[in-house]
Amino acid sequence: MADRADLVVIGAGTIGGWASVFARSSGLASVVVVERGLSGMGASSRAAGIVRAQGGTPATVALGRWTIDFYRGQLSAYGTDSGFLELGYLILAVTDEDERAGRERVAMQRANGLEVEWLDAARAAATAVTLSPDGHRGGSYIATDGAIDPPRNVRAYSLAMQAAGVQLRERTTFTGLRTTPLPGGGARVVAVETDRGMIETERVLLTGGPSLRGVGRAAGLRIPAGAARHTVAVLEPHPAFDVPRMPMVFDIGAGLYWRLEEGGLLFGWSDPDEQPGEARSIDWAAYDRARSRLAGFVPLTRELGLRRIWAATIDYTPDHLPIVGPALTPAGERIDGVTVASAGGHGMMWGPGVARVAADLVATGRTELIDVADLGLDRFDAEGRSRLASDPIALPFPLRAE
Ligand SMILES: Cc1cc2nc3c(=O)[nH]c(=O)nc-3n(C[C@H](O)[C@H](O)[C@H](O)COP(=O)(O)OP(=O)(O)OC[C@H]3O[C@@H](n4cnc5c(N)ncnc54)[C@H](O)[C@@H]3O)c2cc1C
């Protein structure tokens, strides 16, 4: 009997996992997820869990808002959740230029329905109580941003996949597509090849997070998706952090953010000079720099010991915006039935939204959530340069995917 599915999803991270659940609820009867390792073992289990609707473009504001609403509604929809906790988020301005760009961003966000406000330095310090009033110019703030628990999110989508009847095939590697040429040019997918055999299908969703470039290569596509080291550390508890709620803070210029974690402080950073590639070790010199910058903002961290640290490989796109749209060959021809999805390093804050958009495109060819016209692979040139301006609020990832 032929192995066949209405949809084959490559990758069981937060994008592939949630997209498979959404595709089932959109009416696709048989959905198979092919995962080369174990569910969640890519970036999705290793993230810091920061979730914000404070995006840099109207589309990313919409994705963040949709995703927060989704996290809030999970328990009633799925009987499980990703542990979303509303903490508030303060995005600091340090320079004149930060403040100008920040105030402009707030105006755009407010025009897109987000109740974000600008706090001066004194109000910012009074709101994020351990923050020094010096060394910054205040920032944008909204009370409804927050954080999820990334391993719990993996558990949540894994349980939801099981309940929805999605077939998860772990330890199975996607190796290529089988296509048939179309009379007017281009091709249509007819099957997915894996190291454990072929699955006939007319619909494929390619995800892969930091490995999306390789997934694309196996499919005969050129996807300018990158991978780089990103580091997260947790400092030991302190009575000042023993509070139910304290806003998360982002020092946007330095790519440094922090939030409460079990009575201690979790902080993470992307080194602007990081070279693309897989994370294999901790850069202790970068850790020292991040700690010293953090101590300038939160002086009491100077006395705190390190409790936990990890470096993992984060996904990014050259313009730091999501990719969601049809597969295109290097010659620019569509492969009908194949959709590509990436949250471009923001899978906790945009992931379920990107997954919803991808599932909509797979099931019906359109989506109401955002305008996807600009978010496809056709925005990149042959060298992977985007024709869009970079998301102004992203971490400082490398600018090229190679
Ligand atoms: C340290 C760190 C901190 C982060 N912090 C945040 C944060 O605070 N907020 C935020 O929004 N984002 C954060 N991110 C980014 C976020 O984790 C990612 O954007 C998100 O997890 C990507 O989800 P994904 O499903 O696209 O990829 P992944 O979770 O990586 O899943 C892709 C899956 O595809 C599988 N795969 C790859 N190749 C193949 C193949 N050939 N065949 C079959 N399967 C394959 C992989 O094994 C993997 O399981 C962080 C990332 C890191 C590393």
Side-chain angles (χ1 to χ4, degrees):
M1 207 169 68
D3 196 4
R4 102 179 325 279
D6 290 331
L7 167 66
V8 178
V9 177
I10 310 304
T14 196
I15 306 290
W18 285 118
S20 70
V21 173
F22 299 150
R24 282 285 296 117
S25 64
S26 295
L28 296 183
S30 56
V31 178
V32 170
V33 177
V34 171
E35 166 55 52
R36 74 174 167 196
L38 299 176
S39 174
M41 73 176 285
S44 292
S45 58
R46 304 169 213 268
I50 307 277
V51 177
R52 59 171 162 79
Q54 290 186 69
T57 67
T60 58
V61 170
L63 286 171
R65 292 180 73 185
W66 191 93
T67 299
I68 290 173
D69 286 346
F70 170 77
Y71 288 139
R72 289 185 194 281
Q74 280 175 311
L75 197 56
S76 57
Y78 300 103
T80 182
D81 64 66
S82 303
F84 179 75
L85 210 54
E86 183 182 287
L87 296 168
Y89 204 8
L90 173 67
I91 301 186
L92 287 179
V94 171
T95 62
D96 280 2
E97 173 52 22
D98 289 349
E99 182 170 351
R100 191 206 53 75
R103 287 183 182 274
E104 206 172 273
R105 208 174 55 228
V106 166
M108 179 278 290
Q109 291 163 342
R110 289 184 70 87
N112 283 275
L114 202 65
E115 301 260 314
V116 57
E117 58 181 325
W118 188 266
L119 304 185
D120 64 20
R123 275 186 76 203
T127 306
V129 286
T130 56
L131 177 70
S132 163
D134 304 319
H136 59 86
R137 312 169 66 89
S140 65
Y141 175 72
I142 192 164
T144 47
D145 284 346
I148 59 161
D149 175 345
R152 190 172 167 92
N153 177 53
V154 173
R155 175 180 171 275
Y157 70 68
S158 302
L159 288 170
M161 287 164 74
Q162 204 169 47
V166 171
Q167 272 187 57
L168 172 62
R169 301 201 188 160
E170 294 181 311
R171 298 195 169 96
T172 305
T173 301
F174 164 71
T175 53
L177 296 174
R178 280 210 189 166
T179 59
T180 184
L182 290 172
R188 157 157 272 294
V189 69
V190 291
V192 154
E193 288 170 354
T194 79
D195 61 349
R196 295 189 174 213
M198 197 176 76
I199 310 167
E200 290 179 6
T201 187
E202 290 180 353
R203 295 177 199 84
V204 178
L205 174 60
L206 300 176
T207 80
S211 303
L212 182 60
R213 190 185 184 79
V215 169
R217 203 177 301 122
L221 315 177
R222 191 167 51 212
I223 305 179
R229 172 168 50 193
H230 185 80
T231 314
V232 181
V234 183
L235 300 180
E236 62 191 13
H238 184 280
F241 301 135
D242 193 14
V243 288
R245 183 178 171 129
M246 189 181 84
M248 316 183 294
V249 184
F250 187 13
D251 168 19
I252 189 170
L256 173 72
Y257 56 85
W258 58 95
R259 69 166 173 84
L260 290 179
E261 169 84 353
E262 292 180 352
L265 205 69
L266 174 152
F267 66 107
W269 68 92
S270 259
D271 183 346
D273 298 325
E274 190 71 63
Q275 292 305 303
E278 203 179 321
R280 297 188 179 277
S281 60
I282 289 166
D283 177 348
W284 290 102
Y287 166 77
D288 288 341
R289 287 195 297 276
R291 271 212 74 159
S292 132
R293 181 131 181 137
L294 177 64
F297 291 114
V298 188
L300 68 82
T301 58
R302 248 184 218 111
E303 61 193 74
L304 299 180
L306 178 64
R307 192 175 174 200
R308 199 147 63 91
I309 184 164
W310 66 98
T313 314
I314 194 166
D315 46 318
Y316 66 90
T317 54
D319 54 17
H320 315 322
L321 292 165
I323 295 174
V324 60
L328 290 180
T329 65
E333 289 188 326
R334 273 179 73 136
I335 306 180
D336 278 8
V338 182
T339 304
V340 178
S342 161
H346 304 85
M348 304 298 108
M349 60 188 79
W350 305 338
V354 168
R356 176 74 261 176
V357 170
D360 287 348
L361 295 182
V362 161
T364 66
R366 48 195 293 282
T367 183
E368 304 277 300
L369 206 164
I370 49 167
D371 180 359
V372 289
D374 274 340
L375 296 179
L377 287 173
D378 58 353
R379 73 181 189 265
F380 302 107
D381 68 14
E383 271 73 51
R385 284 181 297 247
S386 172
R387 66 175 144 76
L388 303 183
S390 286
D391 184 340
I393 201 170
L395 289 163
F397 297 122
L399 289 171
R400 300 294 298 273
E402 292 84 41

